Every structure is written in structure tokens, then in C-alpha cells.
Amino acid sequence: MEGKTVLPIREKAKKEKKDNKPKSREPKANATPKKEKAANVPAPPTDPNSMFKEGFLAAVHQERAELPVFTRFPPEPNGYLHIGHSKAIAINFGFARFHGGQCYLRYDDTNPEAEEKKYFVAIQEMIQWLGFEPFDITYSSDHFDELYELAEKLIQADKAYVCHCTDSEVKLQRGGENHGPRFACPHRNRPVEESLSEFRAMRDGKYKPKEAFLRMKQNLEDGNPQMWDLTAYRILDAAHHRTGDKWRVYPTYDFTHCLCDSFEKISHSLCTTEFILSRTSYEWLCDALEIFKPMQREYGRLKMTGTVLSKRKIIKLISEKVVRDWDDPRLYTLVALRRRGVPPGAILSFVNEVGVTTAVTNIQIVRFETSIRRYLEQTVPRLMLILDPIPIIIEDLPDDYLEEIEVPFGPKNQDMGSHVVPFTKTVYIDRSDFREVDSKDYFRLAPGKSVGLLKVPFPIRATTFTKDPETGLVTEIRATYERPEEGVSFKKPKTYIQWIALSASHNSPIQAEVRVFNPLFKSENPDAVEGGFMNDVNPSSQEIYPNAIIETGLEEIRKRAPWPEEAGEKDAGKGPGWQTVRFQGMRIAYFAMDKDSEGGKVVLNRIVSLKEDASKGG
């Protein structure tokens, strides 16, 4: 299921509209070195700070406009971040930066049963990849001692009590499934000293998990479920990655979150709207303990249709070998998008483009890819890439013929510079650019028909071809070079196609494996498919072209990476990864090098197509 090796099915060729009048030259001894290029910085996009200048986030700042601004990004270290988290990162770090403040990275590590070191590392890497540096990296566990002391203080103020009810009993106290009347836990009014003694007994190992837990004494008459005596502490038989076996009782999110915000003097606690009811309990607890009270405000989540983002479902895809791992480019985890080649600046641009309101934003994959495509068009160079090459022998050129052709990296951006490629007696074209039988509506190469080769001075005309008798595939084309006699003009061909010459002295062509990624699922809502999301997996989600070739300009592109030099990829000294080698394969798609390129092998991932595939819908 990881992919199939196929003969290429080319995206519809885009007709060249620019003047293809070629330029050829011999190398000059005193030519200006091509190393000194302009930085790979994208053209100015839509104002990247617009979401902070107006609308929801501007109004949030006005509610509490005093300085300093402190925010926090508080992920649970129990999984890899996905595209939805990119919005939370951009909002929390971006809001603080825009207003001259700082943002903490705080790991909400209060559940030792689900936390792993690899998640801590990956979370920090993704934040830095998106171009942000935390003011400080903290952990909820930094405050376990202080949180415990505040829990005892809450008990002593008669605002918390130890409960021994079962889960089903607690559910009934809160109205049950039929939303009946609510009533108090029988332990709610036990003496303060008794609750304090029982809480310490929980800490000291007297009880097993679920035999006792600390609940806040809130307001059962309130219509908000977040005020129905929430759990503050529970017992867990698990060692903590930082505190070891010191604790048997661990604070819940509802108890920990607002208190850690208060300890760190967070001015604006920005979270998603699923926590809007929690704002009441958040403020209640700060007031009950008479501590600094941050301002919580909620924005709508970013969701992506046509994929799955939950940890459980991605683990299922990995275990069933549908995808390689969490960074498989068909997934929408941030590590997967990075490996696929999506630039971090493109993700930030996308979040800014979508905007921030209190409404949940459901985005189709095609809209996301449209935004990425628009960003790449302005920021990456172009190279000639051939997925399924066929050799052409130009019979009327000498065996040692060599002409060096200058080709621009960015036809629309001269600052990207240019490079030289060899033109020789043997060139390769893509199989899709040749037909055995010509037709009036076909403008590429066919027997007896001429076609232009991009930037080559004159066209070529196909004369004959050879086929493999077993497969029926064309294995070689013979052609002539239509160089006119001196002083005679030639008829410009209707179409120019990409090509790559065979030249040992130039190490041309460069062999490559190309991976073309299609949607992992067939529908917009995989979970709604009968039998579950696994029944919606697209069997053609990956196509592999093992014998692709690319022109020698790739070597300069690799030396000049990252493309573009933006967000967390600005500092080349940090050793940008393979995925920063990005380019447009002319008439095909946008590509990036994959980490499997280690050891001299070139592996390319398709980032997005050149234009939206109509078969994807939307």
C-alpha cells in the first residue's frame, strides 16, 4: 500500500506563452561567478500581520492592551503536531511578537501515561521550523509542588473535597444521560480536615486509581457543565518522565492550565472555542485562590477535510502499512508536510489568508494546495525534469557535438539567475511528448513533425522510432536538427518541450526517483464512509517513477538552498534539510528532495501539482 511503480500519467501540458527564442553561448573565462545570487526570499505576500491588525485578534488585544504581552502555546506531548496546530502556533507566537511581547512553549505534561520524549523533541522542532523561538520552554510539571500546595489551600478554603464516587455515580450527579436534576456528591460537605487528610492519603498511596479523587466545590446550579465540581487531582500508577515516582497524584488540565498561566503571568490566554465553557471555571479557580487572573479568549479551530488527524487513526494507518510513519508526505502532520516539501512560510501565509474568527474553519485540501502553489510560484526556481525518459538520437549532429545553453532559473524573476545545460547528439524527452501516430490537434513530437526544445536554437524533426517487441513501448527516437542555411529564417514551432541531454562531462542527466502523492483518501469525509476511514483509503495515493531524470541545474539549486529562505529555514547555518531543495519541474509539478536522498541517491517528492486537478473536486 506504500505506493506503486507506474508509467507516468502526465498532468495536462501547459502551453508555453513566452517567447522561446533560445540563447546559446560558449563558456567565458571571465564570466561573472554565479554564486553571488540574490537571497531566496519570496516576493512580498499579503500582509503577514493582517490577522493581528484587524478583526478578532485586534479586538482581543484591545480588551487588555497593557504591556507586556505574554502568551503561551501549551501542547500535550502525546503526539505529533498537525496542520490544525499551525494555526495555534501562528496565533500565540505571532500575537506576542506583533505586540512586542513573548510566548512560552509550555508542555502540558500532566498525564505520564501518554507522554513520550520523541513528542517533546518534535513539537519544539516544528515551532522553530515555522520561524518562532519560545521565550522560555516550561513544563506543567515544573509546578507540581506549587500546584499541590494550592490544592491543599483550596481544600482549606472549603472549595475542594475528596470524592470516592464511581464514574457512573458522578455522571448521575451531573444529570445523567437524560439531563435530569443535578445533585451533590455525598462527600461534598465532609469536614475540611477530613478532605485534607484524605487528599494526603491519596498522595501517600493509600488508594488505588479511581478509588479517590479531588473535586473542586463549584456551583451545581450553574448551567455551565464546567462548574459541576470538576476533578482537580486523580491517582495514576505511572512514573513521570521528569519527576519519576515522586507523585502518585496528578493535577488535571482544568486545575493546572489556568494556574500555570497565572504563574507565568500570561496576559492573553488564547485557545480554541472548545474551551469557551472552560473560561468560567478558569476564572473561578483564579478568583478562589486569589491569584493573578489572565484573560482567556477563544478562536475557531482549523480543520482539514479529506484526511484524518487523530493520533489513534494515524497509528492505525502506520500499523497497517498504508503509510510509512508520522512523516509520510500523504499525512497532514507538520513533520509530514515538512518532508513533503511544503515551505513553513507557505503554511503561515495560508493561516493568515484563512483568518481568525470564533467560527471553526473547515478547509478542503484543494484550497490548502492552492495557497501553497501560489506561494511556490513566486519563490522557487524552475528545472527540466522528465518522469519517463525516451532517448532521441539527432542523426545529423556529430558524435562529439556540444553546445552549452543558458537557461534561467526563474523566467519571471531574473534575480534567481541562470545556469548552463549541455545540448548534445543524444537528448531525452518524456514519453508523453511523443506519439507514434500524428493528429491535427497534437502539437508535440511525432514522426515527420517538428517540435522545439526549450531554449535550443532550432527545432528537431522526428524521422523514425524503435519499439520493444515485448512491451510495445517506444525505446528510441531518431531525429534531425533543423538548422537552416545561413541567412534563411526558420518556422518557429508551435510547441516547445523540456529535454535533458546526455553528456558524461557534465554528469548529465541526473538519475532520480520521483514520488507523486495523491490524496490518501477518496472522499471528503473518510470517517463517514461505511466501515470506517480505512475503507476509504485511495489505493493510488502514491505513484513512483523510478527512472526519472533531471537536469544538472539541480546541483546549483542544492548549493543555494533553502528555497525560499523564509521562516524557520532562514538560517542556513542550522543545516537546512533536504526538503528545502525545492523547484518547479517545468510543465509537471513542484518538487522537493526527500530525506531518502542520502548516499548520493536523488529522491523527489511532489509538493503540489502546477494547477488544481479537477478530479479532486472543490
Side-chain angles (χ1 to χ4, degrees), residues 231-529:
T231 299
Y233 266 83
R234 77 282 202 207
I235 300 167
L236 296 175
D237 279 335
H240 192 275
H241 71 105
R242 299 184 76 235
T243 61
D245 295 322
K246 177 180 178 180
W247 297 96
R248 294 193 72 252
V249 291
Y250 290 94
T252 62
Y253 175 88
D254 289 308
F255 185 80
T256 305
H257 185 66
C258 62
L259 299 184
C260 287
D261 279 357
S262 180
F263 299 154
E264 294 173 356
K265 295 296 186 288
I266 301 302
S267 58
H268 299 78
S269 182
L270 306 175
C271 55
T272 52
T273 50
E274 68 222 65
F275 296 104
I276 194 166
L277 295 179
S278 299
R279 190 199 300 180
T280 303
S281 56
Y282 181 109
E283 295 177 349
W284 177 89
L285 185 54
C286 289
D287 290 339
L289 291 169
E290 299 179 333
I291 59 174
F292 171 74
K293 182 168 62 179
M295 185 183 81
Q296 176 180 305
R297 291 297 181 266
E298 308 82 14
Y299 57 87
R301 293 178 65 187
L302 171 63
K303 295 182 178 181
M304 189 76 71
T305 64
T307 189
V308 296
L309 300 175
S310 82
K311 177 180 177 181
R312 176 182 61 83
K313 292 171 184 173
I314 293 176
I315 288 175
K316 178 72 172 175
L317 291 168
I318 295 170
S319 65
E320 295 291 330
K321 300 190 183 304
V322 175
V323 297
R324 300 170 180 82
D325 206 338
W326 289 88
D327 67 348
D328 189 289
R330 290 165 288 182
L331 297 174
Y332 281 81
T333 57
L334 291 182
V335 289
L337 291 173
R338 178 178 66 174
R339 180 175 181 181
R340 180 170 145 189
V342 175
I347 293 177
L348 296 178
S349 178
F350 168 71
V351 170
N352 186 62
E353 175 187 313
V354 169
V356 182
T357 67
T358 56
V360 173
T361 306
N362 289 291
I363 298 294
Q364 288 183 305
I365 288 174
V366 290
R367 182 177 175 189
F368 174 69
E369 290 188 345
T370 296
S371 181
I372 303 307
R373 186 179 298 114
R374 185 163 53 243
Y375 186 91
L376 289 169
E377 184 179 3
Q378 302 298 323
T379 59
V380 300
R382 297 185 184 185
L383 297 174
M384 292 187 285
L385 169 69
I386 296 174
L387 296 179
D388 189 14
I390 306 176
I392 298 179
I393 311 299
I394 305 174
E395 295 185 287
D396 54 345
L397 290 182
D399 290 344
D400 61 352
Y401 184 83
L402 173 63
E403 186 174 354
E404 293 190 312
I405 309 294
E406 184 176 7
V407 181
F409 280 125
K412 297 180 181 179
N413 183 356
Q414 297 303 314
D415 288 340
M416 289 186 181
S418 63
H419 61 294
V420 168
V421 296
F423 173 58
T424 64
K425 182 183 180 71
T426 300
V427 298
Y428 295 91
I429 66 167
D430 197 276
R431 187 174 302 278
S432 64
D433 284 334
F434 178 76
R435 279 188 185 176
E436 298 174 38
V437 179
D438 194 13
S439 62
K440 290 183 178 179
D441 59 348
Y442 182 71
F443 300 107
R444 282 170 279 168
L445 198 62
K449 174 172 279 187
S450 298
V451 71
L453 302 178
L454 287 169
K455 299 301 178 184
V456 173
F458 307 106
I460 61 170
R461 177 182 292 270
T463 54
T464 61
F465 60 90
T466 305
K467 295 175 66 173
D468 184 313
E470 293 185 4
T471 64
L473 294 176
V474 174
T475 57
E476 181 184 278
I477 301 167
R478 295 276 168 164
T480 57
Y481 191 41
E482 296 192 301
R483 189 202 308 265
E485 294 181 7
E486 189 173 348
V488 178
S489 61
F490 71 98
K491 183 180 179 181
K492 184 178 177 182
K494 291 184 177 180
T495 301
Y496 285 79
I497 61 175
Q498 69 261 44
W499 56 277
I500 299 173
L502 176 64
S503 175
S505 62
H506 293 79
N507 295 316
S508 176
I510 297 172
Q511 302 295 319
E513 176 185 303
V514 174
R515 299 169 182 173
V516 173
F517 300 108
N518 300 311
L520 184 56
F521 297 98
K522 293 179 284 187
S523 74
E524 281 294 302
N525 187 0
D527 290 325
V529 172

Side-chain angles (χ1 to χ4, degrees), residues 162-167 169 187 190 198 201-202 205-214 233-237 248:
V162 172
C163 170
H164 302 278
C165 297
T166 64
D167 290 345
E169 288 171 336
H187 312 101
R190 70 196 314 173
E198 288 291 273
M202 287 171 57
K206 177 180 178 180
Y207 296 107
K208 296 178 181 179
K210 295 194 174 183
E211 288 184 347
F213 53 101
L214 184 69
Y233 266 83
R234 77 282 202 207
I235 300 167
L236 296 175
D237 279 335
R248 294 193 72 252

Side-chain angles (χ1 to χ4, degrees), residues 42-111:
T46 304
D47 184 355
N49 291 316
S50 62
M51 67 182 187
F52 306 115
K53 293 180 178 178
E54 56 190 16
F56 173 77
L57 291 176
V60 166
H61 181 256
Q62 286 302 312
E63 286 189 68
R64 182 178 279 190
E66 73 269 15
L67 296 176
V69 168
F70 275 93
T71 60
R72 80 291 168 271
F73 176 62
E76 296 179 62
N78 61 3
Y80 289 94
L81 302 181
H82 55 67
I83 185 65
H85 292 110
S86 66
K87 181 175 182 179
I89 293 170
I91 287 174
N92 281 285
F93 281 92
F95 184 89
R97 184 163 67 185
F98 180 73
H99 293 292
Q102 299 285 354
C103 181
Y104 286 87
L105 165 58
R106 183 202 310 144
Y107 292 110
D108 182 24
D109 59 341
T110 57
N111 184 8

Side-chain angles (χ1 to χ4, degrees), residues 111-127:
N111 184 8
E113 295 175 330
E115 295 154 5
E116 294 184 47
K117 183 178 180 180
K118 64 181 180 180
Y119 299 135
F120 290 87
V121 174
I123 288 169
Q124 184 177 351
E125 282 183 357
M126 289 302 96
I127 291 170

